[in-house]
Amino acid sequence: MEQKKPKLKILIRRGAIHERVRAVARQITRDFRGQRVHLVGVLKGASFFLCDVAREIDLETSLDFIAVSSYGSGKESSGQVRLVKDLDTRIAGLNVILIEDILDTGLTLSYLLRILRQRRPKELRVAVMLDKPARRLKPVKPDYWGFRIPNHFVVGYGLDYAEQYRNLKDLCILSDVQEL
Ligand code: IMP
Ligand code: MG
């Protein structure tokens, strides 16, 4: 049987992404004026957004990463979230901003918020580049977000399909892939 080639269609261009990144950084800077913030990125997808937003925040800023697994290699979440890499440092008393590439079902962020809250940060907020509200299973609301998007599977700017496409500069809709 002949296999279709995966198709990429630009949804959000790099210029628009960077404009929203700067706007999110400005909001964070305003909200935490005179304080320090600790950014926690969810590996690997959020690393691009975290690096870009961190450079635009005009506050004392530290960062750390955490990794979870939930998706397997394809497009659908297994629904089970598991901690794969914990933080390197304690977050008690810190203004923590959890940074994620995309908020989809909310399973990942609701799990992470639960375990991080137990560690008694001073503040715990959520910043996401993308929000797909149509798919939500858990009631997670981001404090900062780049774009609300319809229910497409997207890649680029950190987001992957089977570990591919993370390095695309524009955010693209991926279609016609064989399910893994
Ligand atoms: P949630 O737990 O369903 O909210 O999913 C969050 C995670 O699913 C994100 O960190 C992504 O890794 C992945 N994900 C959800 N939607 C997409 C998508 O459209 N493209 C690529 N990855 C996605
Ligand atoms: Mg991710």
Side-chain angles (χ1 to χ4, degrees):
M1 198 178 75
E2 213 191 308
Q3 294 199 344
K4 282 190 181 168
K5 274 177 83 179
K7 256 196 250 158
L8 291 168
K9 192 174 137 237
I10 294 180
L11 178 66
I12 305 171
R13 291 191 185 273
R14 64 199 76 173
I17 293 174
H18 290 117
E19 220 169 90
R20 286 299 299 155
V21 166
R22 283 193 293 273
V24 166
R26 273 198 303 273
Q27 265 178 289
I28 292 171
T29 301
R30 204 183 317 121
D31 290 354
F32 290 94
R33 179 67 58 211
Q35 302 181 63
R36 290 169 51 178
V37 290
H38 187 65
L39 310 181
V40 169
V42 185
L43 290 173
K44 298 167 221 163
S47 58
F48 292 66
F49 179 41
L50 183 143
C51 292
D52 284 349
V53 99
R55 275 181 289 216
E56 301 288 338
I57 291 175
D58 190 15
L59 300 170
E60 274 185 60
T61 300
S62 50
L63 55 92
D64 201 348
F65 290 97
I66 199 164
V68 291
S69 89
S70 65
Y71 257 59
S73 52
K75 282 181 170 182
E76 284 304 316
S77 171
S78 65
Q80 285 283 330
V81 184
R82 197 166 51 85
L83 194 63
V84 172
K85 181 216 166 291
D86 204 342
L87 297 174
D88 292 338
T89 53
R90 288 163 49 83
I91 56 165
L94 301 182
N95 294 314
V96 172
I97 304 176
L98 186 55
I99 309 251
E100 185 46 317
D101 48 10
I102 186 166
L103 173 55
D104 187 27
T105 63
L107 288 166
T108 307
L109 281 179
S110 68
Y111 168 82
L112 286 173
L113 286 169
R114 194 171 68 241
I115 64 167
L116 296 183
R117 205 170 282 126
Q118 288 166 357
R119 300 179 189 186
R120 305 266 170 250
K122 182 175 171 207
E123 270 286 338
L124 181 56
R125 299 213 183 157
V126 172
V128 299
M129 187 63 219
L130 303 171
D131 184 6
K132 271 200 255 183
R135 297 246 311 167
R136 204 77 88 250
L137 298 175
K138 296 271 183 181
V140 180
K141 288 220 171 75
D143 299 288
Y144 309 98
W145 46 271
F147 300 90
R148 295 232 148 96
I149 61 166
N151 186 17
H152 298 297
F153 193 83
V154 289
V155 294
Y157 197 63
L159 289 149
D160 74 309
Y161 174 68
E163 295 301 328
Q164 280 198 74
Y165 308 112
R166 290 194 197 275
N167 61 327
L168 298 180
K169 289 181 175 154
D170 304 305
L171 204 97
C172 300
I173 297 171
L174 180 70
S175 54
D176 290 350
V177 287
Q178 299 300 118
E179 278 302 323
L180 295 180

